[in-house]
Amino acid sequence: MQIIDGKKLAKEIRDQIATEVEELKTSRDITPGLAVVLVGDDPASHAYVKMKAKACKEAGIYSITHEMPASISQSEIEETILMMNKNPNIDGILVQLPLPSHIDTTKILELIDPKKDVDGFHAYNFGRLMTGLDGFVPCTPLGVMEMLKAYNIDPKGKDACVVGASNIVGKPMAALLLNAFATVDICHIYTKDLAEHTKRADILVVGVGKAGLITEEMVKEGAIVIDIGINRLEDGTLVGDVDYETVAPKCSYITPVPGGVGPMTIAMLLKNTLKAAKERA
């Protein structure tokens, strides 16, 4: 069993991004810029945004956060996004989710200029992903593919199972694996017998936010297990969706939580922002 060290890999990628950012500043006088929209006072959202801002600073990327109260109107958020769409110094726009219930999240995300959609949530970029065309890919699934590549794991011809069918993780993850010529099975809350699907998987990717969902008997010997879930137990411990202690011995590769996919997500946000800056007209 080999642990896939997302923390170490993310550091290497971020160092490379910092080098490329410096080259872009020197060669084209362009400083990549990322704007974040943060609505409300959710502690987790504020923590994530703070981490993203720190990572941007370390990579030489300019970042700004538009903090808004939870009571803000739909039109006020829309005005801010339209302003950022027109700002030539902003290459990437990120709306921290979830938004308050009175806000139409889909409308907000689709208002972002697809060329600045560094989260890869716009229908335009999702459509390009589904058809195998270049565009912005959601950061977490993109990070998983980078991990597989770094550890010389080729999905081609392998049976893959993605547990979780969200627009942010599950669906784009399945599309990326399919584009890499894996045979992909997608499971969700209404799947009848989850274990029947997970036991067949050479590559098992889990991201639903339920601690201990995947147990030892649900994983086949030698499987590659990617745990995207992040759950905080009552004692404050962070764990994934996979019962790590019992599942790990059966795996050929497995990601830990924390220190697995999480750091890669932020690294991919920086990578997407750099990509947007390079493609600046």
Side-chain angles (χ1 to χ4, degrees):
M1 182 271 292
Q2 185 171 356
I3 294 172
I4 298 177
D5 191 341
K7 190 174 180 180
K8 181 184 176 185
L9 180 58
K11 175 69 167 60
E12 292 170 2
I13 292 170
R14 284 164 60 169
D15 288 346
Q16 177 60 33
I17 288 168
T19 300
E20 291 185 41
V21 166
E22 193 56 43
E23 289 171 357
L24 191 62
K25 290 178 182 178
T26 304
S27 63
R28 293 177 58 191
D29 195 27
I30 290 176
T31 298
L34 174 68
V36 179
V37 173
L38 177 60
V39 182
D41 50 12
D42 177 64
S45 291
H46 276 262
Y48 289 144
V49 169
K50 192 174 180 180
M51 286 166 61
K52 289 167 184 174
K54 183 174 181 284
C56 282
K57 186 176 180 180
E58 290 174 355
I61 294 172
Y62 164 76
S63 71
I64 183 169
T65 301
H66 294 273
E67 292 193 34
M68 303 174 177
S71 59
I72 197 153
S73 68
Q74 177 91 18
S75 61
E76 286 175 294
I77 301 177
E78 290 178 4
E79 285 170 15
T80 301
I81 290 173
L82 290 172
M83 175 188 71
M84 293 187 293
N85 280 345
K86 294 174 184 175
N87 188 335
N89 297 315
I90 295 298
D91 300 290
I93 300 170
L94 180 155
V95 176
Q96 184 65 41
L97 301 178
L99 293 173
S101 58
H102 69 280
I103 300 295
D104 184 339
T105 299
T106 300
K107 192 175 179 184
I108 292 296
L109 295 178
E110 292 204 345
L111 200 61
I112 297 171
D113 182 343
K115 292 178 181 176
K116 298 187 177 190
D117 172 38
V118 289
D119 252 343
F121 295 163
H122 194 288
Y124 173 86
N125 282 312
F126 191 78
R128 291 186 71 84
L129 169 60
M130 292 300 293
T131 50
L133 298 174
D134 182 55
F136 290 107
V137 176
C139 300
T140 298
L142 185 60
V144 171
M145 296 307 288
E146 286 281 346
M147 293 170 107
L148 296 179
K149 180 181 175 184
Y151 282 78
N152 297 312
I153 299 167
D154 186 358
K156 184 188 287 185
K158 290 184 172 61
D159 290 326
C161 179
V162 178
V163 181
S166 71
N167 292 335
I168 294 172
V169 176
K171 290 176 186 175
M173 187 74 254
L176 285 166
L177 288 166
L178 188 60
N179 290 347
F181 303 106
T183 301
V184 185
D185 202 356
I186 309 174
C187 299
H188 45 75
I189 195 168
Y190 296 109
T191 299
K192 289 178 183 176
D193 187 345
L194 182 59
E196 281 302 307
H197 298 267
T198 60
K199 282 190 293 190
R200 295 197 300 267
D202 301 310
I203 301 175
L204 176 59
V205 185
V206 191
V208 296
K210 186 175 180 181
L213 175 66
I214 304 299
T215 54
E216 178 188 3
E217 64 276 7
M218 297 171 72
V219 179
K220 84 173 187 179
E221 200 73 41
I224 299 150
V225 175
I226 308 294
D227 191 352
I228 297 174
I230 299 177
N231 310 283
R232 192 174 293 278
L233 302 180
E234 287 184 8
D235 64 2
T237 306
L238 279 180
V239 298
D241 291 348
V242 175
D243 183 9
Y244 187 88
E245 296 302 322
T246 62
V247 171
K250 292 185 75 174
C251 301
S252 56
Y253 295 88
I254 190 169
T255 60
V257 178
V261 179
M264 291 297 294
T265 298
I266 292 180
M268 293 303 101
L269 173 63
L270 302 182
K271 186 172 183 176
N272 278 349
T273 304
L274 175 61
K275 172 182 166 70
K278 287 180 174 179
E279 294 172 357
R280 190 190 291 187

